[in-house]
Amino acid sequence: MEKNAKIFVAGQDTLIGSAILRQLKRNGYVNLIGSDQDIDLTDNAQVKAFFATYSPDYVFLAAGKSGGIRANQKYPAELMIDNLLVASHVIHQSYCHKVKKLLYLASSCSYPKLSPQPMQVSSLWTGGLETTNEAYAVAKLAGIKLCQAYRQQYNANFITAIPANAFGLGDDFSLEDSHVIPALIRKLHEAKEGKADSVEIWGTGNPRREFIFADDLADACLFIMDRYNESQPINLGGGEDVSIRQLAELIQLIVGFEGKLYFDATKPDGMPLKALDASELLELGWKSQTSLQNAISSTYAYFLQSNREVAYV
Ligand code: GFB
């Protein structure tokens, strides 16, 4: 991407979209469009008008609602329709306005529940999905297929990527609907403040997940925007997987909560293991910069800072 290219990040208010925007600014991209726009990407007329006005050269498609395991169980229709609409509108308008290149971000839950691990792109579409997030995963798979279809029929350079479970600055720290890392940061912090004896962690603690810091993920997105041009998705990961128990203990240490962790096995575990085979990305020369421990510490610092700001309002 040329430094003065017109770049549109769809989903600037999302964890990943906001991290991509930060990374673009850090790397000297000056023509970032749409940052002051309040467009509803689920509304086709608004997306059409936006593309007609700004005609971006490059698009990062990191929009669409997402949530953790409970949010996926509670709002499958909302998550699915939002992601389908956003992807359809942005991908189609990118084609209509001859966008040079588009990167669509899918999700690791697009892989079949029982994929061989670490998950390879060849496992996509080979088996049943994890039921807790099936609706969202189908919408994400549709986004991948739509990009491939525009490439096949119109030769559009639309690429797709599958990130590991992302977390970081600007995350959603709600107790019920967020992903595990922000949820545990908040739970353990509040338990420390309230001098609680124990904290409840959902599930058995046995599932394993690979996580990626959103700022590292953003760096990988810019990296592949410059180097990757294939139809098949590319995995964005490369870290090690940890069990939810190990993760909870690490967050406990960082937060400084001295009570006990209680694992509630009546709550869902979700997929037993989600780790990505990122060898293609690593062979291209990308490496993540931030250790899990440092990334969680930064996210905790962000949480404390935003808590303070909320308290002063
Ligand atoms: O992050 P999470 O909601 O996403 O949960 P998934 C990961 C694991 O952490 C599950 C456990 O085994 C949860 O049961 N966990 C323990 C908790 N305590 C908590 C807690 O307080 N909150 C949360 N949220 N989890 C999501 C998908 O699955 O992954 C989405 O539902 C998306 O569709 C995302 O793809 C990347 O990894 O299980």
Side-chain angles (χ1 to χ4, degrees), residues 30 37-38 58 64 71 74 81 83 129 144 163 165-166 176 199-200 214 220 246 251 255 266-267 292 295:
V30 288
Q37 300 289 321
D38 190 19
Y58 298 94
K74 282 194 308 192
I81 193 70
N83 279 278
L129 298 163
I144 295 176
N165 282 24
E176 280 281 303
V199 164
E200 180 204 281
Q246 289 167 324
I251 299 176
V255 168
T266 64
K267 298 271 171 31
L292 183 61

Side-chain angles (χ1 to χ4, degrees), residues 66-70 72 107-110 132-133 136-137 164-166 175-181 183-184 187 200-203 207 209 211 244 267-271 274:
S66 69
I69 195 163
R70 281 289 289 135
N72 274 272
S107 164
S108 57
C109 67
S110 310
T132 51
N133 56 216
Y136 174 75
N165 282 24
L175 287 175
E176 280 281 303
D177 296 338
S178 61
H179 289 100
V180 61
I181 292 183
L184 293 192
K187 276 188 191 173
E200 180 204 281
I201 314 289
W202 298 349
R209 296 285 182 273
F211 296 98
I244 297 302
K267 298 271 171 31
D269 268 347
M271 267 168 83
K274 272 199 276 184

Side-chain angles (χ1 to χ4, degrees), residues 22-309:
R22 275 197 299 281
Q23 189 67 8
L24 286 165
K25 286 181 184 162
R26 260 185 229 129
N27 287 11
Y29 292 93
V30 288
N31 208 350
L32 308 176
I33 57 172
S35 45
D36 298 318
Q37 300 289 321
D38 190 19
I39 58 166
D40 177 358
L41 298 171
T42 64
D43 180 344
N44 195 29
Q46 289 190 41
V47 180
K48 222 171 151 178
F50 175 82
F51 273 77
T53 306
Y54 292 100
S55 194
D57 298 315
Y58 298 94
V59 173
F60 290 86
L61 179 36
K65 289 187 179 163
S66 69
I69 195 163
R70 281 289 289 135
N72 274 272
Q73 288 179 311
K74 282 194 308 192
Y75 317 115
E78 198 178 322
L79 290 176
M80 184 166 181
I81 193 70
D82 190 83
N83 279 278
L84 285 173
L85 289 174
V86 164
S88 312
H89 298 155
V90 175
I91 291 169
H92 183 63
Q93 288 306 317
S94 295
Y95 156 68
C96 292
H97 290 273
K98 301 187 172 49
V99 161
K100 290 184 191 166
K101 192 164 180 179
L102 173 146
L103 166 60
Y104 173 78
L105 287 160
S107 164
S108 57
C109 67
S110 310
Y111 279 103
K113 178 179 173 109
L114 299 176
S115 301
Q117 299 285 335
M119 299 186 288
Q120 298 186 344
V121 169
S122 56
S123 290
L124 287 168
W125 288 288
T126 60
L129 298 163
E130 156 63 30
T131 49
T132 51
N133 56 216
E134 196 171 19
Y136 174 75
V138 168
K140 285 294 185 186
L141 284 167
I144 295 176
K145 193 48 87 180
L146 201 54
C147 288
Q148 292 175 331
Y150 276 83
R151 174 183 289 271
Q152 185 184 334
Q153 189 173 342
Y154 303 118
N155 209 20
N157 193 5
F158 294 172
I159 60 169
T160 62
I162 300 182
N165 282 24
F167 71 98
L169 317 183
D171 223 327
D172 167 11
F173 290 91
S174 67
L175 287 175
E176 280 281 303
D177 296 338
S178 61
H179 289 100
V180 61
I181 292 183
L184 293 192
I185 285 179
R186 175 161 166 196
K187 276 188 191 173
L188 289 160
H189 172 76
E190 289 180 352
K192 179 179 88 170
E193 296 289 287
K195 302 192 179 1
D197 295 332
S198 67
V199 164
E200 180 204 281
I201 314 289
W202 298 349
T204 58
N206 298 329
R208 300 185 72 85
R209 296 285 182 273
E210 176 187 339
F211 296 98
I212 186 166
F213 188 44
D215 283 64
D216 284 346
L217 174 58
D219 184 51
C221 288
L222 268 63
F223 181 86
I224 59 164
M225 202 55 154
D226 278 336
R227 291 176 182 78
Y228 188 75
N229 294 297
E230 305 303 320
S231 168
Q232 69 164 4
I234 182 166
N235 283 336
L236 303 182
E240 289 186 358
D241 55 278
V242 291
S243 73
I244 297 302
R245 181 179 297 275
Q246 289 167 324
L247 176 76
E249 287 168 358
L250 178 60
I251 299 176
Q252 177 176 29
L253 197 74
I254 291 167
V255 168
F257 169 64
E258 288 176 352
K260 287 201 168 55
L261 303 179
Y262 159 69
F263 289 85
D264 180 358
T266 64
K267 298 271 171 31
D269 268 347
M271 267 168 83
L273 168 58
K274 272 199 276 184
L276 297 179
D277 179 345
S279 43
E280 191 165 12
L281 176 70
L282 303 182
E283 276 159 24
L284 284 172
W286 186 82
K287 233 175 100 200
S288 95
Q289 300 294 323
T290 323
S291 68
L292 183 61
Q293 177 150 4
N294 287 345
I296 293 175
S297 298
S298 300
T299 309
Y300 182 43
Y302 171 89
F303 170 79
L304 291 175
Q305 174 68 25
S306 46
N307 247 6
R308 243 172 257 132
E309 279 161 16

